[in-house]
Amino acid sequence: MPKNSKVVKRELDDEVIESVKDLLSNEDSADDAFKKSELIVDVPEEKDTDVVERSEVKDERPAWNSKLQYILAQVGFSVGLGNVWRFPYLCQKNGGGAYLLPYLILLLVIGIPLFFLELSVGQRIRRGSIGVWNYISPQLGGIGFASCVVCFFVALYYNVIIGWSLFYFSQSFQQPLPWDQCPLVKNASHTFVEPECEKSSATTYYWYREALNISSSISESGGLNWKMTICLLAAWVVVCLAMIKGIQSSGKIMYFSSLFPYVVLICFLIRALLLNGSVDGIRHMFTPELEIMLEPKVWREAAAQVFFALGLGFGGVIAFSSYNKRDNNCHFDAVLVSFINFFTSILATLVVFAVLGFKANVINEKCIAENSEMIIKLVKMGNISQDIIPHHINFSAITAEDYDLVYDIIQKVKEEEFPELHLNACQIEDELNKAVQGTGLAFIAFTEAMTHFPASPFWSVMFFLMLVNLGLGSMFGTIEGIITPVVDTFKVRKEILTVICCLLAFCIGLIFVQRSGNYFVTMFDDYSATLPLLIVVILENIAVSFVYGIDKFMEDLKDMLGFAPNRYYYYMWKYISPLMLLSLLIASIVNMGLSPPGYNAWMEDKASEKFLSYPTWGMVICISLMVLAVLPIPVVFIIRRCNLIDDSSGNLASVTYKRGRVLKEPINLEGDDASLIHGKISSEMSSPNFGKNIYRKQSGSPTLDTAPNGRYGIGYLMADMPDMPESDL
């Protein structure tokens, strides 16, 4: 960036110095002159503590206590429930080990570059998502508001999942576990097993009937589930208390909430590897099916998983990085957090398939025992000849290999009559191929596996405490994506805003703890975030690469980091990432159009799920969620493009930041269109560009060249001539 480029047409008495470094390098020697030369703004004589005439206070923006605390916060936000119950499912569904290659490629092409981009703008501008995108382009300021809306929608139902985990956690301090056996029903004459449980399984029954007490359709509310309402309230209280002081309170909790899940996962992996069948599960998971890797659907799902695993577009990444020092090496952070996320997914997948392998082995042994008894009965009845059974077979202690041998012999001998015998193959692979994800994995399959663990209550407590911590880590980032930009923009008290936000979210979240609440969780999960977040990140990429300018941005990164980032990022941001994101958006829209909008409803009489379409009002809600999430983008663009709101009203475009306080900028500036000094009224210009912060040099002060990155806020103007007309600014 040239040090002495002329950015104004009219001749100025003083030399223009373009870098904040130039000012701060002479900070000590020219401190008195610096303070006297700051811009004085005439405002009405009202006691507004947020609007200051002179910035003689230190930078009041909070900061992380340590680099470790910041990394743990970013890891806690990016590593969430999806790493445990979504990634293993996608591995199983899309070719096992072969799925890891597309995922890793897309992590390098989409994940790390865009994660680095969000870290960079947050750290450089030191504001939340609203302030960042107003800074870069006021007309694209709606991106930040859209991020906040999406964060709010996601927080509404994500905390419900934490509430479910809290409920299971509270019920785990029992021996045996309450979902270990089907309940018995007593009537006047006899006792029998609950029919709904008998038709499904103990864990399935407990999830749908005892925990959710679910209704048969989304139209059938059924009233509030008081148990889940209390758990949801507890979840929001925990989030509120943790977030009420911002990173000063949540940062300390990160040490536990981010690290504890790794302790649990490692303990689970060690314990599972000591159980029969765990190796079969891991082998099944990593057996590559290379032909599946060539299918476009695999790449689309891998791209979507990379996108959401890193939390791109939510604003949480930007919010957390905005509390960093300006010269922090955010490139290292981006690579580190991305690969921690990836290896966490691998670790979780190993744990899940080791446990599911053990569960499949238990079920397979039960299947072999039951079918062996059937074979003995068929032999006694004469349906099967004793002569075809090998002599070494002992049905009282038959192995899986011996059963496979007997099964194959009977199938060949009784070729035409075999279907009538109703024998099962009892293959462990058949059980492992039953792909489960989401709540089905966590609250049904995994809980069933843990009932077979020795000391099962202990492992249940550990597992659901891990889910609570994984959820809280992501919730902290999501709420920070709402609180930070709003506090930065409107200067409200963080404590009050946090309490109001959590209270409002709890009240709206009551729709998720009705008996039909699980169906609303599915609706919000499918429609409130996927497309809006893709649109947000595409516009973020366009705003930096084409509106602000990729060359200028690379210069800013060099100035901030102290070294030039690899040109790889230049080509990713300018060409590859936008095209990949656009392709993913189109593929997601097509997939959404081809998939009928609906949900899986639990049928009590059949004890099974049935796919139902959303009613008309449900479709209206689905569409409204997507529209409301992206609506701020065109609304802000139109308002600022057409100047529909007067800047003198104190709106967003006329406010910038000065050492942690608000400074109202002069409005209705006159002159030509030479960047910040001339021509652009507040509604048309962003806060000063990264490399174009304009300062007036003090009279008699020495010419300054370079200096370390400063500690002051950016985006404010200073002049040494108080009587200078506003048009000269």
Side-chain angles (χ1 to χ4, degrees):
M1 179 172 62
K3 290 289 181 184
N4 299 315
S5 63
K6 294 182 179 179
V7 295
V8 294
K9 293 181 180 178
R10 70 182 60 185
E11 184 176 348
L12 301 176
D13 293 335
D14 297 322
E15 180 181 354
V16 176
I17 299 176
E18 290 186 359
S19 172
V20 70
K21 294 180 179 179
D22 299 338
L23 174 67
L24 298 180
S25 66
N26 201 37
E27 170 179 74
D28 296 331
S29 62
D31 189 53
D32 292 335
F34 168 74
K35 291 180 179 178
K36 293 178 182 178
S37 67
E38 287 181 287
L39 179 65
I40 299 176
V41 182
D42 293 328
V43 295
E45 295 184 0
E46 56 184 22
K47 293 183 179 181
D48 187 354
T49 58
D50 289 336
V51 179
V52 295
E53 295 181 354
R54 293 177 179 86
S55 179
E56 296 186 355
V57 294
K58 294 182 179 179
D59 189 350
E60 295 182 355
R61 190 168 189 82
W64 297 103
N65 291 335
S66 66
K67 181 66 174 284
L68 175 62
Q69 191 180 82
Y70 165 67
I71 293 296
L72 290 177
Q74 290 286 16
V75 169
F77 175 52
S78 66
V79 175
L81 297 172
N83 295 75
V84 175
W85 66 31
R86 177 70 178 167
F87 187 88
Y89 163 76
L90 292 175
C91 266
Q92 180 181 16
K93 176 184 174 185
N94 296 316
Y99 172 77
L100 299 179
L101 182 59
Y103 185 89
L104 189 57
I105 292 173
L106 291 167
L107 180 66
L108 297 173
V109 173
I110 293 180
I112 294 178
L114 294 175
F115 194 61
F116 180 31
L117 184 146
E118 289 201 355
L119 290 179
S120 302
V121 295
Q123 179 176 307
R124 179 68 178 185
I125 303 173
R126 305 197 75 201
R127 307 180 197 172
S129 56
I130 295 176
V132 160
W133 303 113
N134 273 307
Y135 185 104
I136 289 177
S137 174
Q139 292 178 0
L140 293 177
I143 296 174
F145 288 98
S147 291
C148 289
V149 174
V150 173
C151 279
F152 187 72
F153 284 161
V154 171
L156 287 176
Y157 74 86
Y158 203 86
N159 222 25
V160 175
I161 301 173
I162 297 177
W164 293 341
S165 302
L166 283 174
F167 174 77
Y168 269 79
F169 172 73
S170 67
Q171 299 299 307
S172 297
F173 296 91
Q174 305 178 43
Q175 176 68 17
L177 291 169
W179 50 83
D180 186 36
Q181 300 289 336
C182 284
L184 299 177
V185 179
K186 296 181 180 180
N187 60 15
S189 58
H190 62 284
T191 302
F192 57 93
V193 177
E194 170 64 49
E196 185 180 1
C197 183
E198 192 174 22
K199 293 176 184 176
S200 53
S201 68
T203 51
T204 304
Y205 172 82
Y206 190 87
W207 166 242
Y208 284 115
R209 190 55 52 212
E210 297 294 335
L212 300 181
N213 193 20
I214 200 164
S215 61
S216 57
S217 74
I218 196 172
S219 302
E220 183 184 336
S221 168
L224 290 178
N225 180 341
W226 67 267
K227 292 181 290 188
M228 288 306 171
T229 303
I230 293 174
C231 291
L232 178 63
L233 177 62
W236 276 115
V237 168
V238 170
V239 171
C240 185
L241 292 177
M243 297 298 300
I244 198 163
K245 293 292 185 181
I247 63 169
Q248 295 172 342
S249 55
S250 65
K252 296 178 177 62
I253 299 174
M254 293 294 180
Y255 287 108
F256 179 76
S257 65
S258 296
L259 293 176
F260 180 74
Y262 290 96
V263 175
V264 176
L265 286 173
I266 292 171
C267 290
F268 259 99
L269 181 61
I270 295 172
R271 184 68 190 92
L273 289 175
L274 299 176
L275 299 171
N276 292 331
S278 59
V279 177
D280 295 325
I282 294 175
R283 187 189 303 116
H284 178 81
M285 178 260 165
F286 280 108
T287 302
E289 299 177 35
L290 298 177
E291 65 278 1
I292 296 181
M293 193 176 68
L294 302 177
E295 297 179 7
K297 182 183 70 171
V298 174
W299 290 82
R300 177 181 64 80
E301 293 187 342
Q305 179 64 16
V306 166
F307 183 86
F308 294 112
L310 293 175
L312 300 174
F314 281 96
V317 173
I318 294 175
F320 280 151
S321 65
S322 71
Y323 299 113
N324 267 334
K325 294 179 180 179
R326 193 78 51 75
D327 57 354
N328 174 63
N329 188 350
C330 55
H331 175 258
F332 172 79
D333 300 342
V335 176
L336 177 65
V337 173
S338 297
F339 277 101
I340 288 177
N341 188 294
F342 174 65
F343 288 117
T344 303
S345 298
I346 299 295
L347 175 62
T349 302
L350 285 172
V351 171
V352 167
F353 275 91
V355 172
L356 292 182
F358 164 69
K359 170 177 170 280
N361 187 70
V362 171
I363 294 175
N364 197 56
E365 287 178 353
K366 188 182 296 185
C367 175
I368 290 174
E370 292 175 352
N371 282 269
S372 296
E373 291 179 2
M374 290 180 61
I375 293 174
I376 293 173
K377 290 180 181 179
L378 292 171
V379 170
K380 290 180 179 179
M381 294 170 59
N383 292 8
I384 298 177
S385 173
Q386 178 68 47
D387 298 334
I388 67 172
I389 306 296
H391 297 292
H392 71 278
I393 300 296
N394 180 10
F395 283 106
S396 60
I398 191 171
T399 63
E401 292 76 10
D402 288 342
Y403 177 80
D404 290 340
L405 177 62
V406 172
Y407 182 86
D408 290 338
I409 292 173
I410 295 175
Q411 188 176 28
K412 292 176 181 177
V413 173
K414 299 285 186 178
E415 186 174 352
E416 296 181 357
E417 304 173 11
F418 184 77
E420 299 176 1
L421 300 178
H422 303 293
L423 294 176
N424 292 320
C426 296
Q427 295 290 326
I428 196 170
E429 288 78 13
D430 295 337
E431 190 65 32
L432 288 170
N433 282 329
K434 295 178 181 178
V436 287
Q437 64 167 324
T439 55
L441 174 63
F443 299 108
I444 298 177
F446 219 86
T447 51
E448 182 179 347
M450 286 187 295
T451 59
H452 302 291
F453 276 31
S456 56
F458 169 78
W459 293 105
S460 183
V461 167
M462 294 286 283
F463 176 71
F464 289 110
L465 187 58
M466 179 191 73
L467 290 188
V468 169
N469 280 275
L470 284 173
L472 286 177
S474 297
M475 274 298 295
F476 293 157
T478 304
I479 297 298
E480 199 68 59
I482 303 171
I483 301 297
T484 296
V486 173
V487 169
D488 284 348
T489 304
F490 301 107
K491 295 301 169 183
V492 297
R493 286 193 61 183
K494 180 167 287 189
E495 295 87 349
I496 296 175
L497 178 62
T498 302
V499 171
I500 292 175
C501 179
C502 292
L503 185 61
L504 178 63
F506 168 72
C507 294
I508 298 175
L510 291 177
I511 66 172
F512 301 108
V513 289
Q514 307 173 91
R515 290 183 59 195
S516 60
N518 186 47
Y519 307 138
F520 285 97
V521 171
T522 301
M523 175 190 290
F524 271 67
D525 190 38
D526 289 341
Y527 293 97
S528 68
T530 306
L531 292 183
L533 280 179
L534 280 170
I535 294 171
V536 164
V537 177
I538 289 172
L539 291 176
E540 286 181 0
N541 199 164
I542 292 173
V544 170
S545 299
F546 301 101
V547 178
Y548 181 74
I550 189 65
D551 294 306
K552 193 191 304 182
F553 185 60
M554 295 295 285
E555 284 293 326
D556 294 329
L557 290 177
K558 182 179 179 181
D559 174 64
M560 181 173 70
L561 301 175
F563 63 89
N566 194 291
R567 293 292 288 180
Y568 167 82
Y569 292 104
Y570 178 94
Y571 296 110
M572 289 296 107
W573 287 329
K574 190 168 185 178
Y575 303 111
I576 307 301
S577 294
L579 290 176
M580 294 288 289
L581 287 171
L582 194 59
S583 301
L584 180 58
L585 177 63
I586 294 172
S588 299
I589 293 173
V590 170
N591 182 64
M592 189 174 289
L594 295 177
S595 304
Y599 60 100
N600 289 317
W602 179 255
M603 301 289 105
E604 183 177 358
D605 54 341
K606 299 178 180 178
S608 62
E609 289 184 336
K610 180 182 179 182
F611 184 82
L612 298 178
S613 298
Y614 287 117
T616 303
W617 60 265
M619 288 300 303
V620 171
I621 294 178
C622 293
I623 296 172
S624 299
L625 288 173
M626 292 186 288
V627 171
L628 286 174
V630 299
L631 190 61
I633 298 173
V635 168
V636 172
F637 180 84
I638 293 171
I639 288 174
R640 291 180 176 168
R641 183 73 175 175
C642 302
N643 295 323
L644 299 180
I645 295 180
D646 184 11
D647 290 336
S648 61
S649 63
N651 72 348
L652 204 60
S654 64
V655 177
T656 187
Y657 299 80
K658 189 170 186 175
R659 299 186 189 177
R661 298 294 185 92
V662 172
L663 176 68
K664 295 225 176 157
E665 295 180 351
I667 58 172
N668 297 328
L669 304 180
E670 298 175 358
D672 57 29
D673 59 349
S675 187
L676 298 173
I677 294 186
H678 293 295
K680 290 188 179 180
I681 64 174
S682 301
S683 63
E684 294 176 334
M685 72 179 187
S686 64
S687 301
N689 292 333
F690 293 151
K692 299 292 183 184
N693 294 333
I694 308 301
Y695 298 87
R696 297 194 186 282
K697 181 187 160 205
Q698 299 300 317
S699 299
S701 63
T703 300
L704 308 174
D705 291 327
T706 58
N709 290 308
R711 58 183 171 85
Y712 295 100
I714 57 178
Y716 52 87
L717 305 175
M718 289 169 284
D720 64 344
M721 294 183 292
D723 57 342
M724 190 178 210
E726 285 186 350
S727 60
D728 286 345
L729 295 176

